Amino acid sequence: MVEFSTEDDAYLAKCLELGIMAHGDSQEETIQEIKEAVRVHLLMLIEDGEKIPQPKSMVVEL
């Protein structure tokens, strides 16, 4: 999920399944930042021998 925060004056991205966030000055930058945050988080879970959570949500395009 990506949304603009007037309080932070930035775009914020959230990965609900992993409980992580990222921010950026544009939607595109924010999407790249959250992708990298997810990648690093998943690598850390693997390194620690923890299970990767199963997705709880899905994207539906109308």
Side-chain angles (χ1 to χ4, degrees):
M1 172 175 28
V2 178
E3 60 189 4
F4 186 77
S5 168
T6 54
E7 182 178 323
D8 299 309
D9 194 32
Y11 287 90
L12 302 177
K14 300 174 188 174
C15 178
L16 302 175
E17 281 85 352
L18 300 177
I20 59 176
M21 295 179 65
H23 62 68
D25 294 328
S26 68
Q27 288 180 346
E28 294 79 14
E29 178 185 353
T30 306
I31 290 168
Q32 291 304 314
E33 292 293 327
I34 195 67
K35 284 181 179 181
E36 179 64 9
V38 166
R39 186 184 75 77
V40 170
H41 188 83
L42 292 176
L43 286 174
M44 290 173 58
L45 288 176
I46 292 168
E47 282 182 13
D48 292 343
E50 296 184 33
K51 286 188 169 189
I52 295 174
Q54 293 296 312
K56 297 176 187 172
S57 59
M58 66 176 156
V59 175
V60 176
E61 292 187 41
L62 302 175

